[in-house]
Amino acid sequence: MLAGKGETTGMAHVDWSLEGSAAVLTFGNPPVNSLAHAVRAELVAAIDRAIADRAVRVIVLVGANRTFSAGADIREFGSARMTRSPNLHQLIDAVESSPKPVIAAIDGMCLGGGLELALGCHFRIASPDARLGLPEIKLGLLPGAGGTQRLPRLVGVEAAINVILSGEPVPATAFAKTPLLDALASGELRAAAIELAQKVAAGSTPARRVRDIALPEPDLAALCDFARNAVQAKFPQYPAPVACIDAIEAAGQRFEEGAKVEQRLFLQLLESPQSRALRHAFFAERTASRVPGVTDATPVREIARAAVVGGGTMGSGIAICFLNAGIPLTLLEADEAALARGVERIAGVYDAQVRKGRMQAAERDQRMSLLTPSVSYDTLSMADIAIEAVFEDMEVKKTVFAQLDRVLKPGAILATNTSTLDVNRIATGTRRPQDVVGTHFFSPANLMRLLEVVRGDATAPDVLATVLKLSRTLRKIAVVAGVCDGFIGNRMIEQYLRQALFMLEEGASPQQVDAAAEAFGFAMGPFRMSDLAGNDIGWHIRKRRAAERPAMKYSKLADKLCEMQRFGQKTGAGWYDYAPGDRNARPSGVVAEMIAAHLRELGRATRQLEPAEIADRLVYALVNEGARLLEEGIALRASDIDVVYLNGYGFPVWRGGPMCYADQVGLYEVARRMRQFAGLPGDPQFWTPAPLLQRLAERGDSFASADQSAADRAQSGGRS
Ligand code: NAD
C-alpha cells in the first residue's frame, strides 16, 4: 500500500483518495512507475470503482514519487505478461471510454506507455519541468499503444514525427501552446490538478477523446514521403524509423483503422533482429553492474580528490572526466615540459568546446580551476584515488606504483589504466594489493563511455564497489574483467587483428577488409582503426607478447609497416596515406607494394576474398576468444562482452554485440563456419572452436541461455 492520505484499498500500487468530487488515483511502482501488469490491473479496478461511485464526477491520475510513468515494463516485452489482460491497450481504453472525465496530472518523466496513457485521458495538466517523450525507437520499436495515432492528432504530424523519431524527452513547456496540454501547473501539481478537476466537474470545460479529433494535416502523404526518404537514407539498417512514419501516416484514417496498422507494425518490429539486439544491449548495460562479492551493503570509499599520473593521450582525457564531474584533480608528470604539454592538452579540449559554443568560458575556467599540475609525488597525499596512465611498460609502471605506495594515504585507491599488463604483478609491487585495481579507459577517454574495471586477485570488494560507483559519477559504463593479457576488449581485438592480417596474406587489401567490416556495421575497419589508435602501440605490445608467448603466430606485415615508421594518422602514413589535417584514408601505393613483396616472400597463391567471408572471419575471431574469456571467468557474462564491444570498439549496436550476434546466427552455424575456415593458411589452430562454444553449439544452446543459467545458479545460492 502506498503512503498517502488515501484509504486502504488492498492495492499495492494504487492509492485512492476523494477530493470533493474528484477521485485521485495515485499509482506507483518504484523507481519509475513502470506500467507492469499488476499496476495496470489495479488502475483498471480503481477506474471501475470511480465510475461506479456516485460521489465521483472526475478522475485524476497522478504518479507517485513525483513522476508520472517512464512507460511499459520492458522486462515484459516479448513475454506473455506483456499481453496479459489488462494490457496497456485495455488500460488506455478503460480510461478513454470512461463516462467520467479522466485528467492526467504529469510530473517528472512521462515516457513511452506513460505518455500513451496520458494521451488516453480527456485532460492533461503538467508541471513545467515535466518531460514527455516516446523513446520506443531507441529499442527499435514504435509506440504501440496508440502513441503514433494520438500524438499527431494533438501536436500535428511534423512535431509528432520529431518526437517519435528522436525518442528524446521534451520539456512540458514546449507543448504548452498545443492541445496536448490543457494547462501547465503554476504551483503544486496535485493541487492544480484538483482545481482543474473542479472546473471539469462544474461542466465548464467539455471533455473530449483524442481519438475523435481529426488529424490536422492537409499534406499528410507528401510530408510522410519526405520523412521516409530522409530516414531511409540516414538509417538504412533500421526498420523502426520507417515503420514509425507508416504508423503516423495511418493516423489519417479512422482511429480504429490506424490503430490496427500501428499494432501490426509494432509486432513486426518486436520480432526484428534489430529490436532484439537493442533490447539486449539495454539490459546488458544494466546487468553489467552486478558483480559477485559486491552488494548494496558493500561499503564505498569517499572520492573527494583524485590524481592522474601521466598527462599524455589517456591521462589528459581521464583528468577531464574528473574535472567534468567536479572532482578536484592533481595531474602529475615526469618533468615540467611534459606537465605543460599535459595541461595544454586538457585546456585545448575545453577551448575547442568554448569555440564551438558547447561551453561557456566561465565554465571552462571553473573546471580548469579544479586542476593542480605537479611534478612531485609528495603533492598526492590528499588524493582518494590515483590513476596511473604512463607508458605501457611493466618496469615504468612498477616504479610509479612504488612511489604511489609511498605517498598515498591509507585507504586511497591505486588504479592503473594499463591496456594489457598484469594488474596482479603491479599490485604485488605495493604494500597494499587490496587497494589496487585496473581502470581501463578508452580513447578519447573524455568521450568514450566504456570503463573496463580490472579486478585483481587481491582487489578488496569495497575498492571494486567504489570504482563502480565512481564510474557512474564519471558517466561511464563499467564492465568488470579479470586479470589476463588484454582483459576483455584488447584480448579479443588481438585475435581480430591477427585474423585481419592473415587475410592480407591471402590476397585481400586493407581497403577490402575495412570495407567488409564497415559494411557489416563496424564504425571503422581494423586497418583504419589501427591507423587512428597508432600502429606503434600494437607494435610495442606485440614485441612483449612475442617474448612471452613465442608460439603465437602473427603475420609480420604489421611489424613491417611500423619498421617503415608508418604509425598511422599521427605520422600522416599508416595502412593508408593521410593528407595533413585530413582524416580521410587514401589507399597507399607504398603499402600495396610492401604487401606484394611480402606475398612474394611467402610464395603463397592468393585469391579473391568475398566481403561475407571477411566479415565472418573478423566477427567469429571475436566470438571464439569471447567464449574463452567466459570459460576462464575473465568475463562474467556474454552480455558484458557485448557491452565492451558496443561501447569501446564501434561494434554496430543494431547487431547487439559479437556474442548476441553469434546467438542470432546460431552457435551451431558459427561453429560449423569456424570448422570450414580451419584449412586456411595463417594459424591452423585459430579456428578450433573454444570448448564452451563447442558445448553450447552441440546442445543447441546460446550464450544468452548460458548467462541466464549462471544468473539462476547465483540467485539460488551458488556463486557464479
Ligand atoms: P602517452 O605516451 O600519450 O602518455 C604517457 C605519459 O606518461 C607521457 O606524457 C609521459 O611523459 C608520462 N610519463 C611517463 N613516465 C612517467 C612517470 N614515471 N611519471 C609521470 N609521468 C610519466 O601514452 P597513452 O597513450 O596516454 O597511454 C598511457 C597508458 O594508457 C598506457 O598504459 C596505455 O597502454 C594505456 N591506454 C592507452 C590507450 C590509447 O588508445 N592510447 C587506450 C587505453 C589505455
Side-chain angles (χ1 to χ4, degrees), residues 308-316 318 332-335 338-339 341-342 345 374 377 388-393 396-397 399-400 403 416-421 439-444 490 532-534 537 540-541 570:
V308 167
V309 184
T313 311
M314 294 307 291
S316 56
I318 297 168
L332 187 96
E333 257 291 353
D335 56 52
L339 183 62
R341 285 195 298 275
R345 265 189 209 102
S374 169
Y377 277 93
E388 163 280 308
V390 302
F391 304 133
E392 186 74 346
D393 181 297
V396 180
K397 299 224 187 257
T399 315
V400 169
Q403 295 283 13
T416 169
N417 187 51
T418 177
S419 325
T420 55
L421 296 174
T439 49
H440 180 209
F441 289 76
F442 287 71
S443 180
N490 283 339
L532 176 66
I537 295 182
H540 178 71
I541 295 171
K570 62 185 167 191

CSV table of all heavy atoms in Angstrom, one decimal, residues 308-316 318 332-335 338-339 341-342 345 374 377 388-393 396-397 399-400 403 416-421 439-444 490 532-534 537 540-541 570, ligand 1:
chain,number,residue,atom,x,y,z
A,308,VAL,N,46.0,11.9,-11.3
A,308,VAL,CA,46.3,11.2,-12.5
A,308,VAL,C,47.8,11.3,-12.7
A,308,VAL,O,48.4,12.4,-12.7
A,308,VAL,CB,45.5,11.7,-13.8
A,308,VAL,CG1,46.1,11.1,-15.0
A,308,VAL,CG2,44.0,11.3,-13.6
A,309,VAL,N,48.5,10.2,-12.9
A,309,VAL,CA,49.9,10.2,-13.2
A,309,VAL,C,50.1,9.9,-14.7
A,309,VAL,O,49.8,8.9,-15.2
A,309,VAL,CB,50.6,9.1,-12.3
A,309,VAL,CG1,52.2,9.2,-12.5
A,309,VAL,CG2,50.3,9.3,-10.9
A,310,GLY,N,50.7,10.9,-15.3
A,310,GLY,CA,50.9,10.8,-16.8
A,310,GLY,C,49.9,11.6,-17.5
A,310,GLY,O,48.7,11.3,-17.4
A,311,GLY,N,50.3,12.7,-18.2
A,311,GLY,CA,49.4,13.6,-18.8
A,311,GLY,C,49.4,13.5,-20.3
A,311,GLY,O,49.3,14.4,-21.0
A,312,GLY,N,49.6,12.2,-20.8
A,312,GLY,CA,49.6,12.0,-22.3
A,312,GLY,C,48.2,11.9,-22.8
A,312,GLY,O,47.2,12.5,-22.3
A,313,THR,N,48.0,11.1,-23.9
A,313,THR,CA,46.7,11.0,-24.6
A,313,THR,C,45.7,10.6,-23.6
A,313,THR,O,44.6,11.2,-23.5
A,313,THR,CB,46.8,9.9,-25.7
A,313,THR,OG1,47.9,10.1,-26.5
A,313,THR,CG2,45.6,9.8,-26.5
A,314,MET,N,46.0,9.5,-22.8
A,314,MET,CA,45.0,9.0,-21.9
A,314,MET,C,44.8,9.8,-20.6
A,314,MET,O,43.7,10.1,-20.2
A,314,MET,CB,45.3,7.5,-21.6
A,314,MET,CG,45.2,6.6,-22.8
A,314,MET,SD,43.6,6.7,-23.7
A,314,MET,CE,42.5,6.0,-22.5
A,315,GLY,N,46.0,10.1,-20.0
A,315,GLY,CA,45.9,10.8,-18.7
A,315,GLY,C,45.2,12.1,-18.8
A,315,GLY,O,44.4,12.4,-17.9
A,316,SER,N,45.4,12.8,-19.9
A,316,SER,CA,44.7,14.1,-20.0
A,316,SER,C,43.2,13.9,-20.2
A,316,SER,O,42.4,14.6,-19.6
A,316,SER,CB,45.3,14.9,-21.2
A,316,SER,OG,45.2,14.2,-22.4
A,318,ILE,N,41.5,11.3,-19.1
A,318,ILE,CA,40.9,10.8,-17.8
A,318,ILE,C,40.8,12.0,-16.8
A,318,ILE,O,39.8,12.1,-16.1
A,318,ILE,CB,41.9,9.7,-17.2
A,318,ILE,CG1,41.9,8.5,-18.1
A,318,ILE,CG2,41.4,9.3,-15.8
A,318,ILE,CD1,43.0,7.5,-17.8
A,332,LEU,N,50.0,14.6,-12.4
A,332,LEU,CA,51.5,14.5,-12.1
A,332,LEU,C,52.2,14.0,-13.4
A,332,LEU,O,51.8,13.1,-14.0
A,332,LEU,CB,51.7,13.5,-11.0
A,332,LEU,CG,53.1,13.4,-10.6
A,332,LEU,CD1,53.3,14.3,-9.3
A,332,LEU,CD2,53.5,12.0,-10.2
A,333,GLU,N,53.3,14.7,-13.7
A,333,GLU,CA,54.1,14.3,-14.9
A,333,GLU,C,55.5,14.1,-14.5
A,333,GLU,O,56.0,14.5,-13.4
A,333,GLU,CB,53.9,15.3,-16.0
A,333,GLU,CG,53.0,14.9,-17.2
A,333,GLU,CD,53.5,13.7,-18.0
A,333,GLU,OE1,54.7,13.3,-17.8
A,333,GLU,OE2,52.8,13.2,-18.8
A,334,ALA,N,56.3,13.6,-15.5
A,334,ALA,CA,57.7,13.2,-15.2
A,334,ALA,C,58.5,14.5,-15.0
A,334,ALA,O,59.5,14.6,-14.3
A,334,ALA,CB,58.2,12.3,-16.3
A,335,ASP,N,58.3,15.5,-15.8
A,335,ASP,CA,59.0,16.8,-15.8
A,335,ASP,C,58.1,17.9,-16.2
A,335,ASP,O,57.0,17.7,-16.7
A,335,ASP,CB,60.3,16.7,-16.6
A,335,ASP,CG,59.9,16.3,-18.1
A,335,ASP,OD1,59.1,17.0,-18.7
A,335,ASP,OD2,60.5,15.4,-18.6
A,338,ALA,N,56.8,18.0,-19.9
A,338,ALA,CA,55.7,17.1,-20.2
A,338,ALA,C,54.4,17.5,-19.5
A,338,ALA,O,53.3,17.4,-20.0
A,338,ALA,CB,56.1,15.7,-19.7
A,339,LEU,N,54.6,18.1,-18.3
A,339,LEU,CA,53.5,18.6,-17.5
A,339,LEU,C,52.8,19.7,-18.3
A,339,LEU,O,51.5,19.7,-18.4
A,339,LEU,CB,53.9,19.1,-16.1
A,339,LEU,CG,52.8,19.6,-15.2
A,339,LEU,CD1,51.9,18.4,-14.8
A,339,LEU,CD2,53.5,20.1,-13.9
A,341,ARG,N,52.7,20.2,-21.4
A,341,ARG,CA,52.0,19.6,-22.6
A,341,ARG,C,50.7,19.0,-22.1
A,341,ARG,O,49.7,19.1,-22.8
A,341,ARG,CB,52.9,18.6,-23.3
A,341,ARG,CG,54.0,19.2,-24.1
A,341,ARG,CD,54.6,18.1,-25.1
A,341,ARG,NE,55.2,17.0,-24.4
A,341,ARG,CZ,56.5,16.9,-23.9
A,341,ARG,NH1,57.3,18.0,-24.1
A,341,ARG,NH2,56.9,15.9,-23.3
A,342,GLY,N,50.7,18.3,-21.0
A,342,GLY,CA,49.5,17.7,-20.5
A,342,GLY,C,48.4,18.7,-20.2
A,342,GLY,O,47.3,18.5,-20.5
A,345,ARG,N,47.0,20.0,-23.3
A,345,ARG,CA,46.0,19.1,-23.9
A,345,ARG,C,44.6,19.3,-23.3
A,345,ARG,O,43.6,19.3,-24.0
A,345,ARG,CB,46.5,17.7,-23.7
A,345,ARG,CG,47.3,17.1,-24.8
A,345,ARG,CD,47.5,15.6,-24.6
A,345,ARG,NE,48.8,15.3,-25.3
A,345,ARG,CZ,49.9,15.1,-24.7
A,345,ARG,NH1,50.0,15.1,-23.3
A,345,ARG,NH2,51.0,14.9,-25.3
A,374,SER,N,51.5,19.1,-11.2
A,374,SER,CA,52.5,18.9,-10.3
A,374,SER,C,53.6,18.0,-10.9
A,374,SER,O,53.3,17.1,-11.8
A,374,SER,CB,51.9,18.2,-9.0
A,374,SER,OG,52.9,17.7,-8.2
A,377,TYR,N,55.6,13.8,-6.3
A,377,TYR,CA,54.6,12.8,-5.7
A,377,TYR,C,54.1,13.3,-4.4
A,377,TYR,O,53.0,12.9,-3.9
A,377,TYR,CB,55.3,11.5,-5.6
A,377,TYR,CG,55.3,10.7,-6.9
A,377,TYR,CD1,56.3,10.7,-7.8
A,377,TYR,CD2,54.2,9.8,-7.2
A,377,TYR,CE1,56.3,10.0,-9.0
A,377,TYR,CE2,54.1,9.1,-8.3
A,377,TYR,CZ,55.2,9.2,-9.2
A,377,TYR,OH,55.1,8.5,-10.4
A,388,GLU,N,47.1,5.7,-12.7
A,388,GLU,CA,48.3,5.8,-13.4
A,388,GLU,C,48.1,5.6,-14.9
A,388,GLU,O,47.3,4.7,-15.3
A,388,GLU,CB,49.3,4.7,-12.9
A,388,GLU,CG,50.4,4.3,-13.7
A,388,GLU,CD,50.0,3.3,-14.8
A,388,GLU,OE1,49.4,2.3,-14.6
A,388,GLU,OE2,50.4,3.6,-16.0
A,389,ALA,N,48.6,6.5,-15.8
A,389,ALA,CA,48.4,6.4,-17.2
A,389,ALA,C,49.8,6.8,-17.9
A,389,ALA,O,49.9,7.6,-18.7
A,389,ALA,CB,47.3,7.4,-17.7
A,390,VAL,N,50.8,6.1,-17.4
A,390,VAL,CA,52.2,6.3,-18.0
A,390,VAL,C,52.4,5.3,-19.1
A,390,VAL,O,51.5,4.5,-19.5
A,390,VAL,CB,53.3,6.3,-16.9
A,390,VAL,CG1,53.0,7.3,-15.8
A,390,VAL,CG2,53.4,4.9,-16.3
A,391,PHE,N,53.6,5.2,-19.6
A,391,PHE,CA,53.9,4.3,-20.8
A,391,PHE,C,53.5,2.8,-20.4
A,391,PHE,O,53.6,2.4,-19.3
A,391,PHE,CB,55.3,4.3,-21.2
A,391,PHE,CG,55.8,5.7,-21.5
A,391,PHE,CD1,57.0,6.2,-21.0
A,391,PHE,CD2,55.1,6.5,-22.3
A,391,PHE,CE1,57.5,7.4,-21.3
A,391,PHE,CE2,55.5,7.8,-22.7
A,391,PHE,CZ,56.7,8.3,-22.1
A,392,GLU,N,53.1,2.1,-21.5
A,392,GLU,CA,52.7,0.7,-21.3
A,392,GLU,C,53.9,-0.2,-21.1
A,392,GLU,O,54.4,-0.9,-22.0
A,392,GLU,CB,51.9,0.2,-22.5
A,392,GLU,CG,51.2,-1.1,-22.4
A,392,GLU,CD,50.1,-1.2,-21.4
A,392,GLU,OE1,49.8,-0.3,-20.6
A,392,GLU,OE2,49.3,-2.2,-21.5
A,393,ASP,N,54.6,-0.1,-19.9
A,393,ASP,CA,55.8,-0.8,-19.7
A,393,ASP,C,55.8,-1.2,-18.2
A,393,ASP,O,55.7,-0.4,-17.3
A,393,ASP,CB,57.0,0.1,-20.0
A,393,ASP,CG,58.3,-0.5,-19.8
A,393,ASP,OD1,58.6,-0.9,-18.6
A,393,ASP,OD2,59.1,-0.7,-20.7
A,396,VAL,N,58.2,0.6,-15.8
A,396,VAL,CA,57.9,2.0,-15.6
A,396,VAL,C,56.7,2.1,-14.6
A,396,VAL,O,56.6,2.8,-13.6
A,396,VAL,CB,57.5,2.8,-16.9
A,396,VAL,CG1,57.1,4.2,-16.6
A,396,VAL,CG2,58.7,2.7,-17.9
A,397,LYS,N,55.7,1.2,-14.9
A,397,LYS,CA,54.5,1.2,-14.0
A,397,LYS,C,54.9,0.8,-12.6
A,397,LYS,O,54.4,1.4,-11.6
A,397,LYS,CB,53.5,0.2,-14.6
A,397,LYS,CG,53.0,0.6,-16.0
A,397,LYS,CD,51.5,0.5,-16.2
A,397,LYS,CE,51.1,0.7,-17.6
A,397,LYS,NZ,50.5,2.0,-17.9
A,399,THR,N,57.6,1.3,-11.0
A,399,THR,CA,58.3,2.4,-10.4
A,399,THR,C,57.2,3.4,-9.9
A,399,THR,O,57.3,3.9,-8.8
A,399,THR,CB,59.2,3.1,-11.4
A,399,THR,OG1,60.0,2.1,-12.0
A,399,THR,CG2,60.2,4.1,-10.7
A,400,VAL,N,56.3,3.7,-10.8
A,400,VAL,CA,55.2,4.7,-10.4
A,400,VAL,C,54.4,4.2,-9.2
A,400,VAL,O,54.2,4.9,-8.2
A,400,VAL,CB,54.3,4.9,-11.6
A,400,VAL,CG1,53.1,5.7,-11.2
A,400,VAL,CG2,55.0,5.7,-12.7
A,403,GLN,N,56.2,4.6,-5.9
A,403,GLN,CA,56.0,6.0,-5.4
A,403,GLN,C,54.7,6.2,-4.8
A,403,GLN,O,54.5,6.9,-3.8
A,403,GLN,CB,56.3,7.0,-6.6
A,403,GLN,CG,57.7,6.9,-7.2
A,403,GLN,CD,58.7,7.6,-6.2
A,403,GLN,OE1,58.3,8.0,-5.1
A,403,GLN,NE2,59.9,7.9,-6.7
A,416,THR,N,45.3,1.5,-12.2
A,416,THR,CA,46.2,1.6,-13.4
A,416,THR,C,45.3,1.6,-14.7
A,416,THR,O,44.3,0.8,-14.7
A,416,THR,CB,47.2,0.4,-13.5
A,416,THR,OG1,47.8,0.4,-14.8
A,416,THR,CG2,46.5,-1.0,-13.2
A,417,ASN,N,45.7,2.4,-15.6
A,417,ASN,CA,45.0,2.4,-16.9
A,417,ASN,C,45.6,1.5,-17.9
A,417,ASN,O,45.4,1.6,-19.1
A,417,ASN,CB,45.0,3.9,-17.4
A,417,ASN,CG,44.1,4.0,-18.6
A,417,ASN,OD1,43.0,3.6,-18.6
A,417,ASN,ND2,44.7,4.6,-19.7
A,418,THR,N,46.4,0.5,-17.5
A,418,THR,CA,47.1,-0.3,-18.4
A,418,THR,C,46.1,-1.0,-19.4
A,418,THR,O,45.0,-1.3,-19.0
A,418,THR,CB,47.9,-1.4,-17.7
A,418,THR,OG1,48.5,-2.3,-18.7
A,418,THR,CG2,47.1,-2.3,-16.8
A,419,SER,N,46.5,-1.2,-20.6
A,419,SER,CA,45.6,-1.8,-21.6
A,419,SER,C,45.8,-3.3,-21.6
A,419,SER,O,44.9,-4.1,-22.1
A,419,SER,CB,45.9,-1.4,-23.0
A,419,SER,OG,46.3,-0.1,-23.1
A,420,THR,N,46.9,-3.8,-21.2
A,420,THR,CA,47.2,-5.2,-21.4
A,420,THR,C,48.0,-5.9,-20.2
A,420,THR,O,48.0,-7.1,-20.1
A,420,THR,CB,48.1,-5.4,-22.6
A,420,THR,OG1,49.3,-4.6,-22.5
A,420,THR,CG2,47.4,-5.1,-23.9
A,421,LEU,N,48.6,-5.1,-19.4
A,421,LEU,CA,49.6,-5.6,-18.4
A,421,LEU,C,48.9,-6.3,-17.2
A,421,LEU,O,47.8,-6.0,-16.9
A,421,LEU,CB,50.6,-4.6,-18.0
A,421,LEU,CG,51.5,-4.0,-19.1
A,421,LEU,CD1,52.3,-2.8,-18.6
A,421,LEU,CD2,52.4,-5.1,-19.7
A,439,THR,N,41.7,0.4,-14.0
A,439,THR,CA,40.6,1.2,-14.6
A,439,THR,C,41.0,1.5,-16.0
A,439,THR,O,41.8,2.4,-16.3
A,439,THR,CB,40.4,2.5,-13.8
A,439,THR,OG1,41.7,3.2,-13.7
A,439,THR,CG2,39.8,2.3,-12.4
A,440,HIS,N,40.5,0.7,-16.9
A,440,HIS,CA,40.9,0.8,-18.3
A,440,HIS,C,40.0,1.7,-19.1
A,440,HIS,O,38.9,1.2,-19.4
A,440,HIS,CB,41.0,-0.6,-18.9
A,440,HIS,CG,41.5,-0.6,-20.3
A,440,HIS,ND1,41.1,-1.6,-21.2
A,440,HIS,CD2,42.3,0.2,-21.0
A,440,HIS,CE1,41.6,-1.3,-22.4
A,440,HIS,NE2,42.3,-0.2,-22.3
A,441,PHE,N,40.4,2.9,-19.3
A,441,PHE,CA,39.6,3.9,-20.1
A,441,PHE,C,39.9,3.7,-21.6
A,441,PHE,O,40.9,3.1,-21.9
A,441,PHE,CB,39.9,5.3,-19.7
A,441,PHE,CG,39.4,5.7,-18.3
A,441,PHE,CD1,40.1,5.3,-17.2
A,441,PHE,CD2,38.3,6.6,-18.2
A,441,PHE,CE1,39.7,5.7,-15.9
A,441,PHE,CE2,37.9,7.0,-16.9
A,441,PHE,CZ,38.6,6.6,-15.8
A,442,PHE,N,39.0,4.2,-22.4
A,442,PHE,CA,39.2,4.1,-23.9
A,442,PHE,C,39.4,5.4,-24.5
A,442,PHE,O,38.9,6.4,-23.9
A,442,PHE,CB,37.9,3.3,-24.5
A,442,PHE,CG,38.0,1.9,-24.1
A,442,PHE,CD1,37.7,1.4,-22.8
A,442,PHE,CD2,38.4,0.9,-25.0
A,442,PHE,CE1,37.9,0.1,-22.4
A,442,PHE,CE2,38.5,-0.4,-24.7
A,442,PHE,CZ,38.2,-0.8,-23.4
A,443,SER,N,40.0,5.4,-25.6
A,443,SER,CA,40.5,6.7,-26.2
A,443,SER,C,39.4,7.2,-27.2
A,443,SER,O,39.0,6.5,-28.0
A,443,SER,CB,41.8,6.5,-26.9
A,443,SER,OG,42.2,7.7,-27.5
A,444,PRO,N,39.1,8.5,-27.2
A,444,PRO,CA,39.4,9.5,-26.2
A,444,PRO,C,38.6,9.4,-24.9
A,444,PRO,O,37.4,9.3,-24.9
A,444,PRO,CB,39.0,10.8,-26.9
A,444,PRO,CG,38.1,10.5,-28.0
A,444,PRO,CD,38.2,9.0,-28.3
A,490,ASN,N,40.8,-5.9,-25.3
A,490,ASN,CA,42.0,-6.0,-26.1
A,490,ASN,C,42.5,-7.4,-26.3
A,490,ASN,O,43.2,-7.7,-27.2
A,490,ASN,CB,43.1,-5.2,-25.4
A,490,ASN,CG,42.9,-3.7,-25.7
A,490,ASN,OD1,42.2,-3.3,-26.6
A,490,ASN,ND2,43.5,-2.8,-24.8
A,532,LEU,N,44.2,5.0,-36.6
A,532,LEU,CA,43.7,6.1,-35.7
A,532,LEU,C,44.4,5.9,-34.4
A,532,LEU,O,44.8,6.9,-33.8
A,532,LEU,CB,42.2,6.0,-35.6
A,532,LEU,CG,41.5,6.9,-34.6
A,532,LEU,CD1,41.7,8.4,-35.1
A,532,LEU,CD2,40.0,6.6,-34.5
A,533,ALA,N,44.4,4.7,-33.8
A,533,ALA,CA,44.9,4.5,-32.5
A,533,ALA,C,46.5,4.7,-32.5
A,533,ALA,O,47.0,5.1,-31.5
A,533,ALA,CB,44.6,3.1,-32.0
A,534,GLY,N,47.1,4.4,-33.6
A,534,GLY,CA,48.6,4.4,-33.6
A,534,GLY,C,49.1,3.0,-33.8
A,534,GLY,O,49.0,2.3,-32.8
A,537,ILE,N,51.5,1.5,-31.1
A,537,ILE,CA,51.0,1.0,-29.8
A,537,ILE,C,51.0,-0.6,-29.9
A,537,ILE,O,51.5,-1.3,-29.0
A,537,ILE,CB,49.7,1.6,-29.5
A,537,ILE,CG1,49.8,3.1,-29.2
A,537,ILE,CG2,49.1,0.9,-28.2
A,537,ILE,CD1,48.5,3.8,-28.8
A,540,HIS,N,54.5,-2.2,-30.1
A,540,HIS,CA,55.1,-2.3,-28.8
A,540,HIS,C,54.6,-3.5,-28.0
A,540,HIS,O,55.4,-4.3,-27.4
A,540,HIS,CB,54.8,-1.0,-28.1
A,540,HIS,CG,55.4,-0.9,-26.7
A,540,HIS,ND1,56.7,-0.7,-26.4
A,540,HIS,CD2,54.7,-0.8,-25.5
A,540,HIS,CE1,56.9,-0.7,-25.1
A,540,HIS,NE2,55.7,-0.7,-24.5
A,541,ILE,N,53.3,-3.6,-28.0
A,541,ILE,CA,52.6,-4.7,-27.3
A,541,ILE,C,53.0,-6.1,-27.9
A,541,ILE,O,53.3,-7.1,-27.2
A,541,ILE,CB,51.1,-4.5,-27.2
A,541,ILE,CG1,50.8,-3.3,-26.4
A,541,ILE,CG2,50.4,-5.8,-26.6
A,541,ILE,CD1,49.3,-2.9,-26.5
A,570,LYS,N,48.8,10.0,-37.0
A,570,LYS,CA,49.7,11.0,-36.4
A,570,LYS,C,50.9,11.2,-37.2
A,570,LYS,O,51.6,12.2,-37.1
A,570,LYS,CB,50.0,10.6,-34.9
A,570,LYS,CG,50.7,9.3,-34.8
A,570,LYS,CD,50.8,8.9,-33.3
A,570,LYS,CE,51.3,7.5,-33.1
A,570,LYS,NZ,51.2,7.0,-31.8
B,1,NAD,P1,51.3,8.6,-23.8
B,1,NAD,O1,52.6,8.2,-24.3
B,1,NAD,O2,50.4,9.5,-24.7
B,1,NAD,O3,51.4,9.3,-22.4
B,1,NAD,C1,52.2,8.7,-21.4
B,1,NAD,C2,52.6,9.9,-20.5
B,1,NAD,O4,53.1,9.4,-19.3
B,1,NAD,C3,53.6,10.8,-21.1
B,1,NAD,O5,53.1,12.1,-21.1
B,1,NAD,C4,54.8,10.7,-20.2
B,1,NAD,O6,55.5,11.9,-20.1
B,1,NAD,C5,54.2,10.2,-18.9
B,1,NAD,N1,55.1,9.5,-18.1
B,1,NAD,C6,55.9,8.5,-18.4
B,1,NAD,N2,56.6,8.1,-17.3
B,1,NAD,C7,56.2,8.8,-16.3
B,1,NAD,C8,56.4,8.8,-14.9
B,1,NAD,N3,57.3,8.0,-14.4
B,1,NAD,N4,55.8,9.7,-14.1
B,1,NAD,C9,54.9,10.5,-14.6
B,1,NAD,N5,54.6,10.6,-15.9
B,1,NAD,C10,55.2,9.7,-16.7
B,1,NAD,O7,50.5,7.2,-23.6
B,1,NAD,P2,49.0,7.0,-23.5
B,1,NAD,O8,48.5,6.6,-24.9
B,1,NAD,O9,48.3,8.0,-22.8
B,1,NAD,O10,48.9,5.6,-22.7
B,1,NAD,C11,49.1,5.6,-21.3
B,1,NAD,C12,48.6,4.3,-20.7
B,1,NAD,O11,47.2,4.2,-21.1
B,1,NAD,C13,49.3,3.1,-21.2
B,1,NAD,O12,49.3,2.1,-20.2
B,1,NAD,C14,48.4,2.6,-22.4
B,1,NAD,O13,48.5,1.2,-22.6
B,1,NAD,C15,47.0,2.9,-21.8
B,1,NAD,N6,46.0,3.1,-22.8
B,1,NAD,C16,46.2,3.7,-24.0
B,1,NAD,C17,45.1,3.9,-24.9
B,1,NAD,C18,45.3,4.6,-26.1
B,1,NAD,O14,44.5,4.5,-27.0
B,1,NAD,N7,46.3,5.4,-26.3
B,1,NAD,C19,43.9,3.4,-24.6
B,1,NAD,C20,43.7,2.7,-23.3
B,1,NAD,C21,44.7,2.6,-22.5
